[in-house]
């Protein structure tokens, strides 16, 4: 396999700092990542497999307040850059969430298959490309201003 047989999990060395900083009742998780990086699947898997029992036992959180501790997205937005954290509030699921209590679970995808996915469904991303030649990493007859075979900077 091109990428090996196991997932790569980064940041486990920082879990203890999060546990020390946030009381169990207030701990929240949810998906974050680029468009087309399986964040919807990740959200489903988190809801199916993760429960914050300390939060659930209090019985003081309504369904929209993530009683299980799993939110639908990062409170600054699922697809927004991480530097928006603490500076932006998502319209869905952001209100009333203390962002310091939220641990984003970030999904990434390898660049080549991610680019091909973006070609099929670009969501809100806009760039000049042609369906016949996407991802266009090497220029062809469709790329204006480039020589055929010239590498296109990404």
């Amino acid at each position: 396999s091109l990428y090996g047989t196991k997932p790569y999990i980064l940041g486990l060395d920082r879990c203890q700092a999060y546990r020390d900083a946030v009381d169990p009742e207030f701990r929240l998780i949810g998906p974050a990542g680029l468009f087309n990086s399986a964040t919807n699947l990740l959200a489903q898997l988190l809801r199916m497999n993760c429960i914050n029992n300390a939060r659930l036992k209090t019985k003081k959180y309504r369904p929209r307040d993530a009683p299980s501790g799993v939110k639908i997205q990062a409170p600054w937005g699922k697809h927004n850059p991480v530097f928006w954290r603490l500076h932006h509030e998502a319209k869905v699921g952001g209100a009333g969430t203390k962002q310091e209590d939220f641990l984003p679970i970030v999904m990434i995808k390898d660049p080549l298959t991610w680019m091909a996915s973006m070609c099929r469904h670009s969501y809100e991303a806009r760039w000049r490309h042609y369906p016949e030649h996407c991802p266009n990493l090497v220029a062809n007859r469709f790329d204006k201003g480039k020589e055929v075979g010239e590498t296109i900077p990404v």
Side-chain angles (χ1 to χ4, degrees), residues 17-148:
Y18 175 75
R19 288 186 190 119
D20 293 343
V22 181
D23 288 334
E25 176 188 341
F26 302 113
R27 294 177 190 158
L28 296 165
I29 63 171
L34 296 173
F35 297 117
N36 277 312
S37 62
T39 53
N40 290 330
L41 173 62
L42 178 59
Q44 279 185 319
L45 293 172
L46 291 173
R47 282 193 307 270
M48 290 168 48
N49 294 289
C50 301
I51 295 175
N52 179 339
N53 285 320
R55 186 175 179 88
L56 204 55
K57 285 178 186 175
T58 67
K59 297 184 181 186
K60 63 182 179 183
Y61 297 101
R62 297 172 295 193
R64 70 182 182 126
D65 297 326
S68 69
V70 179
K71 294 188 73 71
I72 192 168
Q73 67 174 350
W76 56 89
K78 181 167 59 172
H79 302 302
N80 291 336
V82 71
F83 61 80
W84 282 23
R85 184 177 186 254
L86 307 177
H87 303 287
H88 178 77
E89 186 176 274
K91 290 180 183 177
V92 176
T97 300
K98 185 177 174 191
Q99 293 190 13
E100 294 89 342
D101 293 348
F102 183 84
L103 178 67
I105 309 300
V106 180
M107 180 70 87
I108 62 167
K109 195 173 189 179
D110 75 273
L112 190 57
T113 57
W114 175 78
M115 286 187 273
S117 295
M118 288 299 291
C119 292
R120 287 189 300 277
H121 189 27
S122 61
Y123 292 90
E124 295 300 316
R126 304 282 183 260
W127 75 98
R128 185 175 62 91
H129 68 285
Y130 300 94
E132 301 87 359
H133 186 230
C134 190
N136 54 331
L137 299 176
V138 177
N140 71 7
R141 61 188 173 86
F142 297 109
D143 296 305
K144 297 175 183 169
K146 299 285 182 186
E147 296 292 325
V148 172

